[in-house]
């Protein structure tokens, strides 16, 4: 596991679900999503990462194409979480859920 991911796990205490609310399992380990893409100057550091399993990471990039506003809203929530340096709470997951629900309509 990458050292950045280990540090993020310690800070954000992500154990059961990723930052989009998807269950983390042995078969679905965490990945790092670059909030600001490297191709546009996004850096390789924890302030630019979101912890996602592959399934949610793929969904996020699918949203980027079919509902770009939802993609941007989720990335903004990731940034807010990074700025807080606190584990995600129920209110955070409610916000993520609302964005995902709107994107399905």
């Amino acid at each position: 596991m990458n050292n950045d991911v280990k540090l993020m796990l310690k800070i954000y205490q992500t154990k059961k679900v990723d930052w989009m609310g998807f269950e983390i399992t042995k078969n679905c380990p965490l990945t790092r999503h670059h909030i600001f893409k490297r191709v546009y100057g996004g850096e390789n550091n924890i302030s630019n990462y979101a912890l996602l399993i592959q399934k949610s990471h793929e969904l996020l990039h699918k949203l980027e194409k079919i509902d770009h506003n939802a993609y941007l809203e989720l990335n903004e929530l990731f940034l807010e979480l990074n700025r807080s340096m606190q584990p995600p709470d129920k209110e955070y997951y409610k916000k993520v859920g609302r964005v995902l629900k709107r994107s399905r309509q």
Side-chain angles (χ1 to χ4, degrees):
M1 183 181 297
N2 178 292
N3 286 335
D4 289 336
V5 172
K6 287 179 185 176
L7 178 58
M8 290 181 78
L9 287 171
K10 188 174 184 179
I11 295 169
Y12 299 104
Q13 301 172 21
T14 306
K15 294 178 179 144
K16 295 184 181 186
V17 295
D18 71 5
W19 287 16
M20 286 177 57
F22 287 75
E23 185 179 7
I24 301 166
T25 67
K26 189 175 184 177
N27 295 330
C28 296
L30 290 168
T31 63
R32 295 173 300 169
H33 164 68
H34 286 83
I35 299 167
F36 295 108
K37 293 181 179 196
R38 289 177 291 173
V39 69
Y40 299 122
E43 297 182 15
N44 283 323
N45 60 47
I46 65 171
S47 65
N48 190 39
Y49 295 147
L51 293 173
L52 304 175
I53 64 166
Q54 189 63 39
K55 179 179 177 179
S56 56
H57 204 164
E58 290 169 7
L59 172 62
L60 182 64
H61 285 291
K62 193 179 290 186
L63 284 175
E64 182 180 15
K65 294 175 181 146
I66 63 171
D67 188 346
H68 196 71
N69 287 333
Y71 171 80
L72 293 175
E73 283 183 69
L74 289 168
N75 277 312
E76 185 58 39
L77 288 171
F78 301 154
L79 287 173
E80 287 177 23
L81 188 58
N82 276 338
R83 285 191 287 268
S84 77
M85 299 289 284
Q86 298 291 320
D89 59 16
K90 288 180 184 180
E91 188 57 35
Y92 167 84
Y93 284 116
K94 284 181 186 177
K95 290 176 185 177
V96 168
R98 285 192 293 267
V99 173
L100 292 174
K101 186 176 180 180
R102 275 196 319 269
S103 72
R104 290 186 206 122
Q105 295 176 353

